[in-house]
Every structure is written in C-alpha cells, then in structure tokens.
Amino acid sequence: MEITFCGHAQVSNLAEVMGWLRAVTQDLIERGGTTFYLGGYGEFDSLAAAVLREQKKKYPQIELILVLPYLNASKDALGYDGTIYPPLESAPPRFAISKRNQWMVDASDVVVAYVLRKWGGAATTLQYAKRKKKEIFSYPHGPGKKIP
C-alpha cells in the first residue's frame, strides 16, 4: 500500500500533530503500508518524515520516498530511502509543485492530510484526492477514522 501526505507549511500544534501522525502511520503500516511519498516542503512534511523515520526503527521494511518537483533541484535526500522525479518535464516551473502533488495522490492508495482551511496548495491537493476517491485520514480524526 502506498501512502502520501498533504498539509500546510506551518503547523501550530506540533506535539499534537506529531502524536496523531504516529498513530495514523502505525495503523497504516500494520494494515500493509510500505511506501510513503513525501514532498519535503514545510513543517507538516518535516513532521511526517520525522515520524516515519521513528517508525522505520520498528518497521524496517517501510520506504520513505522524496518526490521531487524539479529535476535539477538540489534537494537534500538524506534520511529518505530514495527519490522519484515524476514525469513533469512539460509542466511550467510555477505549476511543478501542484502537478507533483497530483502525481503523489494518483500514485497512492491513502492520503494523510493536515488541512485546516479551504484555500492554498494543501487544500487543493486534498480536494483532488477526494475527487479521485482516495482513502483519506484527515487531522484531527484518529487512525481508522476516515473522512468521506
């Protein structure tokens, strides 16, 4: 099972969101989650990566994959098991991140979301995931509590 994340660049309640991410990711790993796609931008992405690195100590079979929006970007991939550059060559640079986010949703079975407002990139990605009928775990709902 492949899982991706979408969330805001700033997280106001770090400890609470980190605890929620621990519970949700453990539930998903125990349900067969193996591959986790991460965008690598903003606090939510950093929290998700940190939690997954903790989970990897207990579940070494999981993979953390950094999904790059730009082919020539020098993004630090330390702490990830690998990187992927989706087929975005034809996307103008200003749309690369949103196209990368759509690819991440399309490539995943489950989306874990920290989206507290109805505007911005995270909200757009979450709406895309809903249209694609992905299984969604949305903060503050706990593990096993999907949103429709």
Side-chain angles (χ1 to χ4, degrees):
M1 177 183 349
E2 286 79 26
I3 297 103
T4 196
F5 298 83
C6 75
H8 301 301
Q10 286 86 34
V11 176
S12 58
N13 42 353
L14 292 169
E16 186 177 310
V17 173
M18 194 166 225
W20 175 77
L21 279 167
R22 280 187 189 105
V24 169
T25 56
Q26 180 160 342
D27 178 61
L28 289 168
I29 293 165
E30 289 173 357
R31 288 181 38 211
T34 55
T35 305
F36 293 85
Y37 294 121
L38 298 143
Y41 288 97
E43 280 184 331
F44 183 69
D45 286 352
S46 294
L47 281 179
V51 165
L52 288 167
R53 286 182 192 109
E54 287 176 8
Q55 298 285 27
K56 195 165 175 72
K57 293 174 186 170
K58 185 174 178 182
Y59 304 99
Q61 75 276 15
I62 67 171
E63 285 188 302
L64 285 67
I65 305 297
L66 179 62
V67 184
L68 303 169
Y70 307 105
L71 187 56
N72 59 355
S74 59
K75 188 84 173 136
D76 185 8
L78 189 65
Y80 296 91
D81 295 306
T83 62
I84 290 179
Y85 175 70
L88 302 175
E89 296 87 4
S90 62
R94 70 183 206 167
F95 297 119
I97 291 176
S98 60
K99 292 294 184 186
R100 184 271 321 258
N101 292 349
Q102 289 176 358
W103 181 92
M104 290 170 65
V105 169
D106 290 339
S108 298
D109 303 298
V110 176
V111 176
V112 177
Y114 173 77
V115 178
L116 305 179
R117 50 186 185 260
K118 296 180 188 266
W119 50 270
T124 301
T125 302
L126 179 58
Q127 289 305 317
Y128 182 79
K130 288 178 181 179
R131 284 195 309 275
K132 292 293 186 170
K133 302 195 181 328
K134 297 295 178 169
E135 182 178 0
I136 299 168
F137 288 83
S138 186
Y139 177 85
H141 304 290
K145 295 186 176 135
K146 301 177 282 188
I147 64 168

